[in-house]
mmCIF file with all atom_site columns, all heavy atoms in Angstrom:
data_model
loop_
_atom_site.group_PDB
_atom_site.id
_atom_site.type_symbol
_atom_site.label_atom_id
_atom_site.label_alt_id
_atom_site.label_comp_id
_atom_site.label_asym_id
_atom_site.label_entity_id
_atom_site.label_seq_id
_atom_site.pdbx_PDB_ins_code
_atom_site.Cartn_x
_atom_site.Cartn_y
_atom_site.Cartn_z
_atom_site.occupancy
_atom_site.B_iso_or_equiv
_atom_site.pdbx_formal_charge
_atom_site.auth_seq_id
_atom_site.auth_comp_id
_atom_site.auth_asym_id
_atom_site.auth_atom_id
_atom_site.pdbx_PDB_model_num
ATOM   1   N N   . GLY A 1 14  ? 69.835 93.646  67.878 1.00 97.00 ? 14  GLY A N   1
ATOM   2   C CA  . GLY A 1 14  ? 69.359 92.893  66.711 1.00 97.00 ? 14  GLY A CA  1
ATOM   3   C C   . GLY A 1 14  ? 67.937 92.415  66.942 1.00 97.00 ? 14  GLY A C   1
ATOM   4   O O   . GLY A 1 14  ? 67.381 92.565  68.032 1.00 97.00 ? 14  GLY A O   1
ATOM   5   N N   . ARG A 1 15  ? 67.348 91.825  65.890 1.00 95.00 ? 15  ARG A N   1
ATOM   6   C CA  . ARG A 1 15  ? 65.955 91.349  66.010 1.00 95.00 ? 15  ARG A CA  1
ATOM   7   C C   . ARG A 1 15  ? 65.811 90.325  67.131 1.00 95.00 ? 15  ARG A C   1
ATOM   8   O O   . ARG A 1 15  ? 64.889 90.395  67.947 1.00 95.00 ? 15  ARG A O   1
ATOM   9   C CB  . ARG A 1 15  ? 65.500 90.734  64.671 1.00 95.00 ? 15  ARG A CB  1
ATOM   10  C CG  . ARG A 1 15  ? 65.169 91.773  63.627 1.00 95.00 ? 15  ARG A CG  1
ATOM   11  C CD  . ARG A 1 15  ? 65.188 91.180  62.252 1.00 95.00 ? 15  ARG A CD  1
ATOM   12  N NE  . ARG A 1 15  ? 66.566 90.845  61.878 1.00 95.00 ? 15  ARG A NE  1
ATOM   13  C CZ  . ARG A 1 15  ? 67.071 90.953  60.666 1.00 95.00 ? 15  ARG A CZ  1
ATOM   14  N NH1 . ARG A 1 15  ? 66.314 91.349  59.685 1.00 95.00 ? 15  ARG A NH1 1
ATOM   15  N NH2 . ARG A 1 15  ? 68.320 90.655  60.411 1.00 95.00 ? 15  ARG A NH2 1
ATOM   16  N N   . MET A 1 16  ? 66.737 89.379  67.204 1.00 96.00 ? 16  MET A N   1
ATOM   17  C CA  . MET A 1 16  ? 66.673 88.358  68.264 1.00 96.00 ? 16  MET A CA  1
ATOM   18  C C   . MET A 1 16  ? 67.159 88.931  69.592 1.00 96.00 ? 16  MET A C   1
ATOM   19  O O   . MET A 1 16  ? 66.579 88.676  70.645 1.00 96.00 ? 16  MET A O   1
ATOM   20  C CB  . MET A 1 16  ? 67.519 87.144  67.870 1.00 96.00 ? 16  MET A CB  1
ATOM   21  C CG  . MET A 1 16  ? 66.906 86.291  66.782 1.00 96.00 ? 16  MET A CG  1
ATOM   22  S SD  . MET A 1 16  ? 65.361 85.528  67.285 1.00 96.00 ? 16  MET A SD  1
ATOM   23  C CE  . MET A 1 16  ? 65.954 84.297  68.432 1.00 96.00 ? 16  MET A CE  1
ATOM   24  N N   . ASP A 1 37  ? 76.581 95.719  71.574 1.00 98.00 ? 37  ASP A N   1
ATOM   25  C CA  . ASP A 1 37  ? 76.198 95.892  70.177 1.00 98.00 ? 37  ASP A CA  1
ATOM   26  C C   . ASP A 1 37  ? 77.090 96.996  69.591 1.00 98.00 ? 37  ASP A C   1
ATOM   27  O O   . ASP A 1 37  ? 77.769 97.711  70.325 1.00 98.00 ? 37  ASP A O   1
ATOM   28  C CB  . ASP A 1 37  ? 74.708 96.253  70.043 1.00 98.00 ? 37  ASP A CB  1
ATOM   29  C CG  . ASP A 1 37  ? 74.132 95.825  68.692 1.00 98.00 ? 37  ASP A CG  1
ATOM   30  O OD1 . ASP A 1 37  ? 74.503 96.450  67.670 1.00 98.00 ? 37  ASP A OD1 1
ATOM   31  O OD2 . ASP A 1 37  ? 73.356 94.856  68.633 1.00 98.00 ? 37  ASP A OD2 1
ATOM   32  N N   . LYS A 1 39  ? 75.930 99.499  67.771 1.00 95.00 ? 39  LYS A N   1
ATOM   33  C CA  . LYS A 1 39  ? 75.192 100.769 67.627 1.00 95.00 ? 39  LYS A CA  1
ATOM   34  C C   . LYS A 1 39  ? 74.780 101.315 69.008 1.00 95.00 ? 39  LYS A C   1
ATOM   35  O O   . LYS A 1 39  ? 74.726 100.564 69.970 1.00 95.00 ? 39  LYS A O   1
ATOM   36  C CB  . LYS A 1 39  ? 73.919 100.536 66.809 1.00 95.00 ? 39  LYS A CB  1
ATOM   37  C CG  . LYS A 1 39  ? 74.192 99.965  65.432 1.00 95.00 ? 39  LYS A CG  1
ATOM   38  C CD  . LYS A 1 39  ? 72.908 99.605  64.703 1.00 95.00 ? 39  LYS A CD  1
ATOM   39  C CE  . LYS A 1 39  ? 72.167 98.441  65.294 1.00 95.00 ? 39  LYS A CE  1
ATOM   40  N NZ  . LYS A 1 39  ? 72.712 97.123  65.075 1.00 95.00 ? 39  LYS A NZ  1
ATOM   41  N N   . THR A 1 78  ? 74.298 87.201  66.986 1.00 98.00 ? 78  THR A N   1
ATOM   42  C CA  . THR A 1 78  ? 74.970 88.265  66.220 1.00 98.00 ? 78  THR A CA  1
ATOM   43  C C   . THR A 1 78  ? 75.034 87.857  64.737 1.00 98.00 ? 78  THR A C   1
ATOM   44  O O   . THR A 1 78  ? 73.994 87.737  64.103 1.00 98.00 ? 78  THR A O   1
ATOM   45  C CB  . THR A 1 78  ? 76.369 88.552  66.803 1.00 98.00 ? 78  THR A CB  1
ATOM   46  O OG1 . THR A 1 78  ? 77.128 87.333  66.850 1.00 98.00 ? 78  THR A OG1 1
ATOM   47  C CG2 . THR A 1 78  ? 76.300 89.151  68.198 1.00 98.00 ? 78  THR A CG2 1
ATOM   48  N N   . GLY A 1 100 ? 72.778 81.297  69.594 1.00 97.00 ? 100 GLY A N   1
ATOM   49  C CA  . GLY A 1 100 ? 71.766 81.002  68.586 1.00 97.00 ? 100 GLY A CA  1
ATOM   50  C C   . GLY A 1 100 ? 72.224 81.388  67.197 1.00 97.00 ? 100 GLY A C   1
ATOM   51  O O   . GLY A 1 100 ? 71.602 81.004  66.202 1.00 97.00 ? 100 GLY A O   1
ATOM   52  N N   . THR A 1 102 ? 73.718 81.300  63.761 1.00 92.00 ? 102 THR A N   1
ATOM   53  C CA  . THR A 1 102 ? 73.984 80.136  62.913 1.00 92.00 ? 102 THR A CA  1
ATOM   54  C C   . THR A 1 102 ? 75.198 80.419  62.013 1.00 92.00 ? 102 THR A C   1
ATOM   55  O O   . THR A 1 102 ? 75.686 81.540  61.958 1.00 92.00 ? 102 THR A O   1
ATOM   56  C CB  . THR A 1 102 ? 72.745 79.799  62.075 1.00 92.00 ? 102 THR A CB  1
ATOM   57  O OG1 . THR A 1 102 ? 72.291 80.996  61.427 1.00 92.00 ? 102 THR A OG1 1
ATOM   58  C CG2 . THR A 1 102 ? 71.635 79.254  62.942 1.00 92.00 ? 102 THR A CG2 1
ATOM   59  N N   . ALA A 1 126 ? 72.596 76.251  69.698 1.00 96.00 ? 126 ALA A N   1
ATOM   60  C CA  . ALA A 1 126 ? 71.391 75.626  69.127 1.00 96.00 ? 126 ALA A CA  1
ATOM   61  C C   . ALA A 1 126 ? 71.001 76.359  67.848 1.00 96.00 ? 126 ALA A C   1
ATOM   62  O O   . ALA A 1 126 ? 70.791 77.572  67.875 1.00 96.00 ? 126 ALA A O   1
ATOM   63  C CB  . ALA A 1 126 ? 70.241 75.671  70.131 1.00 96.00 ? 126 ALA A CB  1
ATOM   64  N N   . PRO A 1 127 ? 70.908 75.631  66.741 1.00 91.00 ? 127 PRO A N   1
ATOM   65  C CA  . PRO A 1 127 ? 70.497 76.301  65.506 1.00 91.00 ? 127 PRO A CA  1
ATOM   66  C C   . PRO A 1 127 ? 69.043 76.733  65.544 1.00 91.00 ? 127 PRO A C   1
ATOM   67  O O   . PRO A 1 127 ? 68.621 77.551  64.738 1.00 91.00 ? 127 PRO A O   1
ATOM   68  C CB  . PRO A 1 127 ? 70.722 75.242  64.432 1.00 91.00 ? 127 PRO A CB  1
ATOM   69  C CG  . PRO A 1 127 ? 70.683 73.938  65.148 1.00 91.00 ? 127 PRO A CG  1
ATOM   70  C CD  . PRO A 1 127 ? 71.179 74.204  66.541 1.00 91.00 ? 127 PRO A CD  1
ATOM   71  N N   . PHE A 1 129 ? 66.009 77.557  68.654 1.00 96.00 ? 129 PHE A N   1
ATOM   72  C CA  . PHE A 1 129 ? 65.563 77.536  70.050 1.00 96.00 ? 129 PHE A CA  1
ATOM   73  C C   . PHE A 1 129 ? 64.052 77.362  70.183 1.00 96.00 ? 129 PHE A C   1
ATOM   74  O O   . PHE A 1 129 ? 63.535 77.399  71.294 1.00 96.00 ? 129 PHE A O   1
ATOM   75  C CB  . PHE A 1 129 ? 66.008 78.824  70.760 1.00 96.00 ? 129 PHE A CB  1
ATOM   76  C CG  . PHE A 1 129 ? 67.423 78.774  71.263 1.00 96.00 ? 129 PHE A CG  1
ATOM   77  C CD1 . PHE A 1 129 ? 68.450 79.427  70.595 1.00 96.00 ? 129 PHE A CD1 1
ATOM   78  C CD2 . PHE A 1 129 ? 67.738 78.066  72.413 1.00 96.00 ? 129 PHE A CD2 1
ATOM   79  C CE1 . PHE A 1 129 ? 69.751 79.377  71.056 1.00 96.00 ? 129 PHE A CE1 1
ATOM   80  C CE2 . PHE A 1 129 ? 69.046 78.018  72.888 1.00 96.00 ? 129 PHE A CE2 1
ATOM   81  C CZ  . PHE A 1 129 ? 70.052 78.673  72.209 1.00 96.00 ? 129 PHE A CZ  1
ATOM   82  N N   . LYS A 1 160 ? 68.612 87.329  56.117 1.00 94.00 ? 160 LYS A N   1
ATOM   83  C CA  . LYS A 1 160 ? 69.428 86.240  56.682 1.00 94.00 ? 160 LYS A CA  1
ATOM   84  C C   . LYS A 1 160 ? 70.739 86.114  55.905 1.00 94.00 ? 160 LYS A C   1
ATOM   85  O O   . LYS A 1 160 ? 70.734 86.146  54.669 1.00 94.00 ? 160 LYS A O   1
ATOM   86  C CB  . LYS A 1 160 ? 68.625 84.926  56.632 1.00 94.00 ? 160 LYS A CB  1
ATOM   87  C CG  . LYS A 1 160 ? 69.323 83.777  57.334 1.00 94.00 ? 160 LYS A CG  1
ATOM   88  C CD  . LYS A 1 160 ? 68.381 82.614  57.585 1.00 94.00 ? 160 LYS A CD  1
ATOM   89  C CE  . LYS A 1 160 ? 69.122 81.397  58.100 1.00 94.00 ? 160 LYS A CE  1
ATOM   90  N NZ  . LYS A 1 160 ? 69.820 81.654  59.370 1.00 94.00 ? 160 LYS A NZ  1
HETATM 91  P P1  . LIG B 2 .   ? 70.251 90.902  63.284 1.00 96.59 ? 1   LIG B P1  1
HETATM 92  O O1  . LIG B 2 .   ? 68.935 91.567  63.473 1.00 96.59 ? 1   LIG B O1  1
HETATM 93  O O2  . LIG B 2 .   ? 71.112 91.309  62.130 1.00 96.59 ? 1   LIG B O2  1
HETATM 94  O O3  . LIG B 2 .   ? 71.055 91.097  64.649 1.00 96.59 ? 1   LIG B O3  1
HETATM 95  C C1  . LIG B 2 .   ? 72.429 90.920  64.817 1.00 96.59 ? 1   LIG B C1  1
HETATM 96  C C2  . LIG B 2 .   ? 72.899 92.027  65.745 1.00 96.59 ? 1   LIG B C2  1
HETATM 97  O O4  . LIG B 2 .   ? 74.244 91.769  66.134 1.00 96.59 ? 1   LIG B O4  1
HETATM 98  C C3  . LIG B 2 .   ? 72.881 93.417  65.082 1.00 96.59 ? 1   LIG B C3  1
HETATM 99  O O5  . LIG B 2 .   ? 72.364 94.382  65.967 1.00 96.59 ? 1   LIG B O5  1
HETATM 100 C C4  . LIG B 2 .   ? 74.366 93.631  64.801 1.00 96.59 ? 1   LIG B C4  1
HETATM 101 O O6  . LIG B 2 .   ? 74.728 95.000  64.689 1.00 96.59 ? 1   LIG B O6  1
HETATM 102 C C5  . LIG B 2 .   ? 74.967 92.989  66.020 1.00 96.59 ? 1   LIG B C5  1
HETATM 103 N N1  . LIG B 2 .   ? 76.400 92.737  65.901 1.00 96.59 ? 1   LIG B N1  1
HETATM 104 C C6  . LIG B 2 .   ? 77.141 92.527  64.772 1.00 96.59 ? 1   LIG B C6  1
HETATM 105 N N2  . LIG B 2 .   ? 78.436 92.321  65.110 1.00 96.59 ? 1   LIG B N2  1
HETATM 106 C C7  . LIG B 2 .   ? 78.505 92.395  66.462 1.00 96.59 ? 1   LIG B C7  1
HETATM 107 C C8  . LIG B 2 .   ? 79.561 92.276  67.405 1.00 96.59 ? 1   LIG B C8  1
HETATM 108 N N3  . LIG B 2 .   ? 80.822 92.039  67.031 1.00 96.59 ? 1   LIG B N3  1
HETATM 109 N N4  . LIG B 2 .   ? 79.271 92.419  68.720 1.00 96.59 ? 1   LIG B N4  1
HETATM 110 C C9  . LIG B 2 .   ? 78.016 92.664  69.120 1.00 96.59 ? 1   LIG B C9  1
HETATM 111 N N5  . LIG B 2 .   ? 76.973 92.808  68.276 1.00 96.59 ? 1   LIG B N5  1
HETATM 112 C C10 . LIG B 2 .   ? 77.211 92.655  66.970 1.00 96.59 ? 1   LIG B C10 1
HETATM 113 O O7  . LIG B 2 .   ? 70.071 89.317  63.178 1.00 96.59 ? 1   LIG B O7  1
HETATM 114 P P2  . LIG B 2 .   ? 68.965 88.388  63.863 1.00 96.59 ? 1   LIG B P2  1
HETATM 115 O O8  . LIG B 2 .   ? 67.814 88.215  62.948 1.00 96.59 ? 1   LIG B O8  1
HETATM 116 O O9  . LIG B 2 .   ? 68.732 88.849  65.255 1.00 96.59 ? 1   LIG B O9  1
HETATM 117 O O10 . LIG B 2 .   ? 69.740 87.004  63.869 1.00 96.59 ? 1   LIG B O10 1
HETATM 118 C C11 . LIG B 2 .   ? 70.981 86.844  64.538 1.00 96.59 ? 1   LIG B C11 1
HETATM 119 C C12 . LIG B 2 .   ? 71.488 85.435  64.351 1.00 96.59 ? 1   LIG B C12 1
HETATM 120 O O11 . LIG B 2 .   ? 70.614 84.542  65.032 1.00 96.59 ? 1   LIG B O11 1
HETATM 121 C C13 . LIG B 2 .   ? 71.538 84.932  62.898 1.00 96.59 ? 1   LIG B C13 1
HETATM 122 O O12 . LIG B 2 .   ? 72.677 84.125  62.727 1.00 96.59 ? 1   LIG B O12 1
HETATM 123 C C14 . LIG B 2 .   ? 70.278 84.109  62.770 1.00 96.59 ? 1   LIG B C14 1
HETATM 124 O O13 . LIG B 2 .   ? 70.393 83.091  61.788 1.00 96.59 ? 1   LIG B O13 1
HETATM 125 C C15 . LIG B 2 .   ? 70.220 83.511  64.145 1.00 96.59 ? 1   LIG B C15 1
HETATM 126 N N6  . LIG B 2 .   ? 68.905 83.032  64.598 1.00 96.59 ? 1   LIG B N6  1
HETATM 127 C C16 . LIG B 2 .   ? 68.904 81.907  65.349 1.00 96.59 ? 1   LIG B C16 1
HETATM 128 C C17 . LIG B 2 .   ? 67.749 81.446  65.883 1.00 96.59 ? 1   LIG B C17 1
HETATM 129 C C18 . LIG B 2 .   ? 67.790 80.228  66.775 1.00 96.59 ? 1   LIG B C18 1
HETATM 130 O O14 . LIG B 2 .   ? 66.746 79.798  67.277 1.00 96.59 ? 1   LIG B O14 1
HETATM 131 N N7  . LIG B 2 .   ? 68.965 79.652  67.005 1.00 96.59 ? 1   LIG B N7  1
HETATM 132 C C19 . LIG B 2 .   ? 66.538 82.109  65.646 1.00 96.59 ? 1   LIG B C19 1
HETATM 133 C C20 . LIG B 2 .   ? 66.568 83.251  64.869 1.00 96.59 ? 1   LIG B C20 1
HETATM 134 C C21 . LIG B 2 .   ? 67.766 83.733  64.369 1.00 96.59 ? 1   LIG B C21 1
HETATM 135 P P3  . LIG B 2 .   ? 74.818 95.665  63.200 1.00 96.59 ? 1   LIG B P3  1
HETATM 136 O O15 . LIG B 2 .   ? 73.417 95.677  62.688 1.00 96.59 ? 1   LIG B O15 1
HETATM 137 O O16 . LIG B 2 .   ? 75.371 96.998  63.471 1.00 96.59 ? 1   LIG B O16 1
HETATM 138 O O17 . LIG B 2 .   ? 75.717 94.764  62.387 1.00 96.59 ? 1   LIG B O17 1
#
Side-chain angles (χ1 to χ4, degrees):
R15 284 161 291 216
M16 287 296 288
D37 206 290
K39 302 174 291 286
T78 55
T102 50
F129 277 103
K160 186 165 172 60

